[in-house]
Amino acid sequence: HVTKSIEIVNEVTGINKNNLNAVNIFPNPSNGKVYINSSSPVAIKVFNILGEQIISTDNSKINFISLSEKGIYLFEISDGKNKEYRKVVVQ
C-alpha cells in the first residue's frame, strides 16, 4: 500500500495552504525522546525503516514520543484534511 502526499503551495507567496507547517518535531537527530509542538490537535503515526507502523495517536495534543531503538523513523502528521511526512533520526 503506497501513500502519496501532496503539498499545495501558493506560487506567489510560497506559503503552504495547510496548518501542518505549524507542527514542530524536535530535536532531529534525537537521542530517543522526540518532542512535538503543535498549535492544534494532530494525529501522528510513526513508521520504522521497514515501513512498520510502531506508534499511532489520535487527534490529541501530545508532548513527546519515546523511541528506544536507533534508526530512521517516518512521522506521518495529519490534521484530518492534510497529511505530511517528516523523517526523524534517532542516534
Side-chain angles (χ1 to χ4, degrees):
H1 181 258
V2 176
T3 303
K4 294 184 180 181
S5 176
I6 298 174
E7 183 177 4
I8 300 170
V9 178
N10 184 316
E11 292 180 26
V12 176
T13 62
I15 298 173
N16 288 332
K17 293 183 179 181
N18 66 47
N19 294 327
L20 298 178
N21 281 345
V23 178
N24 294 315
I25 297 177
F26 61 95
N28 192 12
S30 170
N31 63 357
K33 194 169 192 178
V34 179
Y35 293 91
I36 300 162
N37 184 354
S38 175
S39 58
S40 60
V42 292
I44 296 187
K45 293 180 182 177
V46 180
F47 299 88
N48 64 16
I49 195 71
L50 301 174
E52 300 166 329
Q53 181 179 316
I54 56 170
I55 296 174
S56 179
T57 69
D58 58 0
N59 281 350
S60 62
K61 292 186 102 177
I62 58 172
N63 295 322
F64 69 90
I65 290 177
S66 290
L67 300 166
S68 58
E69 293 186 27
K70 294 178 181 180
I72 298 172
Y73 295 88
L74 189 64
F75 280 56
E76 177 188 281
I77 308 159
S78 173
D79 64 4
K81 295 180 183 176
N82 303 294
K83 285 184 184 176
E84 185 173 299
Y85 295 88
R86 307 232 185 120
K87 180 175 76 171
V88 175
V89 176
V90 174
Q91 299 179 332

